[in-house]
């Protein structure tokens, strides 16, 4: 082992990545990849995709889409281990051992579980209940200490820390307590005016592959008011638009908009045009690289194959020790 601290993160294979995934997770993944103090592992969470209703054919396609999004965003197989979760069966094995120290009630009370139950009341499966346990196994199979993810994943990281503590107490293992690596876009709001940008809420997101006219159309739907008033809204369409202005045009520009709101008023059409262009400018290099990758599928396959071999070597070492500790070795 290199003595470097490890980093692990993942994204489910549910479709094209959106600005929330990019700012909340991928940007953090990129900045840690550039930091020589860390060894970075980034996976496609294909098993987690199966925790809510899904189509097997779409899963097959989306696994590759996420790899291409990763590579086009700048994740580099020479500097990061890029792999698919299902190619490293040690994750599911470790999740089983972890399940021996977690109560059913603890899982049922998690806010992220309750949200999914509301969303899919007819599909409350054991796989869904196990979601956070598998996520803890993803991280701890590599003894990763830092996890670049959005704010919404904090309850899952809390579970991973609890599991690490309980495993260490019960079986004498030496798992670290992983922390979230924060980015400035840890919570990217929805375009529909409430909640966060999310793949499962149509109209709420801008994907990384959207062209300028699509971005314009999507921003046109953000609900706005008359554009002026004494108090700048803290919730709703205007507030969300201003968060995006801050993230893509800078905090100074956002403050100017707030001052405008309090005085002559915001001209939303002009602001939305300017914002569309700023977002598109940031996405252009990504889109250029992504078009090239679509034509090089063998490269995408090779990245996954080599990545899973490297990841397995590390995960196997952890599992060999854990098997011994839990009484199976
Ligand atoms: P997923 O696919 O739901 O989300 C992927 C990443 O995108 C972030 N994200 C956001 N960040 C800011 N604002 C938003 N509106 C927004 N929407 C999504 C999420 O926080 C996440 O970082 N459970 C993980 C997948 C996973 C994982 C892991 C992550 C499985 N195992 C181990 C880290 C470590 C998830 O939510 O995927």
């Amino acid at each position: 082992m290199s003595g470097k601290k490890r980093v692990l993160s993942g994204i489910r294979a549910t479709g094209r990545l959106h600005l929330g995934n990019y700012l909340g997770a991928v940007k953090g993944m990129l900045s840690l990849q550039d930091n020589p103090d860390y060894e970075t592992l980034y996976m496609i969470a294909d098993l987690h995709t199966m925790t809510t209703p899904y189509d097997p054919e779409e899963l097959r396609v989306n696994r590759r889409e996420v790899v291409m999004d990763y590579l086009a965003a700048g994740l580099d197989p020479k500097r990061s281990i890029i792999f698919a979760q299902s190619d490293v069966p040690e994750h599911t094995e470790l999740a089983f051992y972890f399940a021996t120290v977690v109560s059913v009630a603890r899982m049922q009370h998690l806010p992220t579980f309750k949200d999914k139950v509301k969303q899919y009341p007819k599909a409350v499966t054991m796989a869904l209940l196990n979601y956070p346990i598998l996520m803890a196994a993803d991280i701890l199979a590599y003894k990763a200490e830092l996890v670049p993810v959005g704010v919404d994943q904090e309850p899952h990281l809390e579970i991973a820390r609890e599991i690490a503590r309980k495993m260490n107490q019960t079986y004498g293992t030496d798992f670290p307590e992983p922390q979230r690596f924060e980015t400035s876009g840890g919570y990217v709001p929805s375009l529909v005016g409430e909640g966060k940008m999310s793949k499962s809420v149509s109209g709420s997101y801008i994907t990384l592959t959207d062209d300028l006219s699509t971005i314009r159309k999507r921003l046109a739907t953000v609900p706005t008011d008359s554009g002026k008033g004494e108090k700048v809204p803290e919730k709703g369409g205007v507030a969300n638009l201003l968060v995006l202005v801050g993230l893509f045009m800078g905090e100074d520009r956002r403050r100017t908009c707030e001052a405008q709101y309090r005085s002559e008023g915001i001209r939303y059409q002009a602001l939305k045009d300017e914002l569309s262009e700023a977002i598109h400018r940031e996405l252009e290099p990504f889109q250029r690289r992504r078009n090239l990758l679509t034509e090089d599928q063998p490269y995408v396959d090779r990245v996954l194959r080599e990545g899973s071999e490297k990841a397995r070597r590390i995960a196997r070492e952890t599992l060999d020790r854990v098997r011994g500790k839990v009484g199976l070795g």
Side-chain angles (χ1 to χ4, degrees):
M1 154 145 187
S2 55
K4 291 181 179 190
K5 286 188 175 176
R6 291 213 181 98
V7 172
L8 181 126
S9 191
I11 293 185
R12 285 174 304 143
T14 43
R16 296 276 167 103
L17 300 197
H18 56 67
L19 293 182
N21 302 136
Y22 178 62
L23 297 176
V26 178
K27 275 212 151 172
M29 292 156 107
L30 285 167
S31 82
L32 289 165
Q33 169 180 267
D34 289 339
N35 186 328
D37 296 337
Y38 294 101
E39 179 178 13
T40 45
L41 293 111
Y42 299 131
M43 56 166 214
I44 296 97
D46 48 5
L47 295 175
H48 278 108
T49 314
M50 301 166 68
T51 61
T52 47
Y54 76 101
D55 174 65
E57 202 38 58
E58 271 175 30
L59 173 57
R60 215 185 318 276
V61 172
N62 285 336
R63 269 164 55 102
R64 310 175 65 88
E65 296 284 336
V66 176
V67 190
M68 286 191 276
D69 281 344
Y70 274 172
L71 295 170
L75 294 191
D76 175 1
K78 291 202 189 73
R79 289 183 289 160
S80 292
I81 300 178
I82 300 172
F83 67 104
Q85 183 184 32
S86 66
D87 285 337
V88 186
E90 283 75 9
H91 293 213
T92 40
E93 182 183 348
L94 188 58
F96 186 84
Y97 304 144
F98 284 178
T100 66
V101 298
V102 184
S103 77
V104 173
R106 177 71 177 103
M107 292 293 100
Q108 284 171 326
H109 288 123
L110 264 194
T112 43
F113 176 69
K114 289 182 181 167
D115 286 349
K116 289 285 184 230
V117 170
K118 262 192 224 143
Q119 211 178 336
Y120 303 101
K122 295 204 175 109
V124 184
T125 63
M126 284 307 298
L128 184 62
L129 193 64
N130 263 309
Y131 187 121
I133 302 181
L134 179 59
M135 181 161 158
D138 297 334
I139 300 166
L140 296 174
Y142 307 94
K143 300 195 177 151
E145 290 172 61
L146 261 191
V147 185
V149 282
V151 174
D152 61 314
Q153 295 300 303
E154 196 50 76
H156 291 155
L157 287 183
E158 189 54 50
I159 292 288
R161 290 190 285 270
E162 270 176 45
I163 289 178
R165 280 196 295 273
K166 281 199 185 152
M167 287 295 293
N168 295 348
Q169 278 159 13
T170 313
Y171 300 114
T173 48
D174 59 350
F175 289 115
E177 293 188 29
Q179 305 296 325
R180 186 169 80 87
F181 177 75
E182 293 181 30
T183 61
S184 57
Y187 183 91
V188 178
S190 160
L191 302 184
V192 295
E194 65 178 57
K196 63 167 183 138
M197 189 173 280
S198 164
K199 275 177 262 192
S200 52
V201 181
S202 71
S204 78
Y205 56 83
I206 290 173
T207 75
L208 303 190
T209 41
D210 284 345
D211 59 18
L212 182 56
S213 81
T214 311
I215 297 174
R216 281 212 176 96
K217 272 186 221 137
R218 294 199 197 260
L219 281 184
T221 64
V222 179
T224 49
D225 55 19
S226 64
K228 63 198 288 186
E230 264 166 37
K231 202 170 174 311
V232 182
E234 284 170 10
K235 281 199 295 209
V238 176
N240 292 359
L241 197 62
L242 293 180
V243 171
L244 291 174
V245 167
L247 288 169
F248 287 94
M249 296 161 71
E251 284 307 312
D252 283 351
R253 186 73 178 85
R254 174 182 171 156
R255 275 189 288 276
T256 317
C257 287
E258 287 173 352
Q260 257 174 344
Y261 193 92
R262 288 190 216 97
S263 53
E264 77 268 29
I266 294 180
R267 288 175 49 238
Y268 289 116
Q269 184 57 53
L271 181 64
K272 284 180 174 180
D273 272 348
E274 218 185 310
L275 179 60
S276 304
E277 274 160 31
I279 293 175
H280 187 246
R281 214 173 304 126
E282 170 122 10
L283 298 184
E284 246 183 338
F286 165 87
Q287 296 181 353
R288 261 198 309 274
R289 284 195 295 262
R290 203 180 188 295
N291 286 339
L292 292 175
L293 280 165
T294 317
E295 287 153 27
D296 196 356
Q297 291 303 316
Y299 174 64
V300 174
D301 287 338
R302 196 170 75 234
V303 167
L304 281 184
R305 201 173 49 245
E306 292 177 0
S308 71
E309 279 163 18
K310 289 184 200 154
R312 268 201 100 170
R313 266 200 294 278
I314 305 172
R316 236 187 248 141
E317 222 172 90
T318 308
L319 263 293
D320 281 349
R321 291 178 64 93
V322 174
R323 271 181 218 123
K325 295 279 186 189
V326 298
L328 297 173

